Amino acid sequence: MLGSMTGNVPLNELGEFLKKRRSELSPRTVGLPETGGPRRVAGLRREEVAQLASISTDYYTRLEQGRMQASTPVLDTLARVLHLDDDERGYLFQLAGKTTTRTRRRGRQKVQPQLQRVLDDLTATPAIVQGRRGDILAWNALAAALVTDFSRIPEKHRNYPRIQFTDPAMRTLYADWEASAQISVAQLRMEAAKYPEDPRLIELVGELSTRDEQFARWWGDHRVAARTVGTKTLNHPVVGELVLDWDTLTANTDPDQHLTVWTAAPGSPTHERLRILASWAADQNLAASPSLT
């Protein structure tokens, strides 16, 4: 035996637990491509776990062989990669002799009534309300016409960073998609610093990291940004180029809810095009409404 960890739990017990958990996962489960060839081991290979956890295969091998201790950040990452539930995660930390706070499950956010009233009154200004992780909690008709019809997106996927990376139309809509997407990643990284154990945020980052190489690379840059102000240019399929200033207001009743509005200077071409877009959106909504006759 190579020694023991805090609480006299052998290091190799941790390695056996990691080995067992990876044996129960398939490449498809964690978003890796299926090679189609025979696999000599059940479940994931060591190098696949190491790849997903962004650590070296040698480092992970030493963990499984009981030849070294894992740091808290590595344990957090392995718990996500191996899809551990709360009890398994707690057990992993116990084996490693580390302390961990139990994940506090937060209920699903709902838009604050005050922000909803603001949205309802904004008929000539696109606006959305975002919650934790960039979840889209509410929007007005002009925001739907400007970006996308959020009502057609399943609620569990109604998240701005996710839409930016998974909807191909976003790469055409944004004149500089890469710059905008990098800001979204930096804002999400800031969110992760506030709630490092948020399971839905961990799931979102894991999904986007496996689906999109650019997301994974930018997430690894560890750049951060708060939701403040800025300017973006959109190439809208109906009204053409829009140069919009965006601003973010935070609800005092829930600091995790932010109202984002897009505006343009009065008299500018974009201001006129927003007016045209609002009229177009109203016509579309009227056409989609059931006839009263």
Side-chain angles (χ1 to χ4, degrees):
M1 189 171 294
L2 297 173
S4 62
M5 304 173 71
T6 303
N8 297 319
V9 179
L11 277 168
N12 61 352
E13 190 72 18
L14 172 65
E16 289 300 317
F17 181 69
L18 292 173
K19 187 184 302 182
K20 180 63 176 176
R21 294 286 78 81
R22 72 175 169 89
S23 72
E24 297 172 346
L25 296 173
S26 67
R28 181 187 300 274
T29 303
V30 296
L32 292 176
E34 295 276 9
T35 60
R39 298 178 68 85
R40 292 182 298 173
V41 298
L44 297 178
R45 301 185 180 99
R46 284 174 175 167
E47 57 266 29
E48 290 171 333
V49 175
Q51 174 191 343
L52 291 168
S54 299
I55 58 178
S56 71
T57 301
D58 180 68
Y59 183 100
Y60 180 74
T61 300
R62 287 171 178 267
L63 289 179
E64 279 203 359
Q65 293 176 344
R67 293 191 287 147
M68 69 180 301
Q69 295 188 19
S71 66
T72 297
V74 168
L75 292 172
D76 274 325
T77 302
L78 289 174
R80 172 180 58 79
V81 167
L82 296 174
H83 293 200
L84 302 187
D85 61 25
D86 286 350
D87 291 339
E88 290 171 333
R89 184 180 184 280
Y91 181 64
L92 175 70
F93 273 74
Q94 184 179 11
L95 289 177
K98 306 290 186 181
T99 58
T100 178
T101 56
R102 195 166 191 80
T103 301
R104 182 167 67 90
R105 297 207 178 265
R106 298 177 174 86
R108 189 175 296 276
Q109 283 182 294
K110 293 184 179 180
V111 61
Q112 291 291 305
Q114 301 92 321
L115 295 184
Q116 185 64 66
R117 287 195 294 269
V118 173
L119 278 178
D120 293 340
D121 288 340
L122 290 175
T123 58
T125 301
I128 62 174
V129 175
Q130 290 177 268
R132 292 187 295 270
R133 304 168 295 270
D135 290 346
I136 299 168
L137 306 181
W139 60 92
N140 62 11
L142 193 49
L146 177 69
V147 182
T148 189
D149 186 353
F150 299 109
S151 67
R152 295 182 178 272
I153 301 172
E155 186 176 357
K156 66 179 180 179
H157 292 156
R158 207 175 286 157
N159 172 277
Y160 210 91
R162 190 183 191 281
I163 293 169
Q164 277 192 293
F165 281 91
T166 61
D167 185 348
M170 295 299 101
R171 298 175 188 256
T172 302
L173 177 65
Y174 283 90
D176 191 345
W177 177 86
E178 286 199 8
S180 181
Q182 286 183 64
I183 290 174
S184 284
V185 174
Q187 291 172 343
L188 199 60
R189 172 66 77 172
M190 181 75 83
E191 189 86 0
K194 291 173 60 181
Y195 303 112
E197 297 183 3
D198 182 343
R200 291 186 61 199
L201 190 149
I202 292 170
E203 180 183 0
L204 174 66
V205 172
E207 177 195 1
L208 295 181
S209 294
T210 56
R211 290 184 60 165
D212 193 285
E213 292 182 0
Q214 288 175 298
F215 180 94
R217 184 172 70 253
W218 295 333
W219 183 259
D221 288 341
H222 289 263
R223 299 187 182 279
V224 295
R227 291 189 178 94
T228 52
V229 298
T231 301
K232 65 178 62 178
T233 301
L234 303 181
N235 294 318
H236 196 274
V238 174
V239 295
E241 184 181 80
L242 299 168
V243 181
L244 297 161
D245 297 319
W246 60 271
D247 202 345
T248 304
L249 309 175
T250 301
N252 287 331
T253 50
D254 183 355
D256 285 332
Q257 292 196 24
H258 311 277
L259 173 69
T260 299
V261 295
W262 292 279
T263 62
S268 66
T270 293
H271 188 264
E272 174 62 18
R273 288 167 188 163
L274 277 181
R275 188 187 65 78
I276 296 172
L277 183 61
S279 177
W280 175 84
D283 290 343
Q284 294 297 305
N285 290 336
L286 183 62
S289 299
S291 174
L292 298 178
T293 59

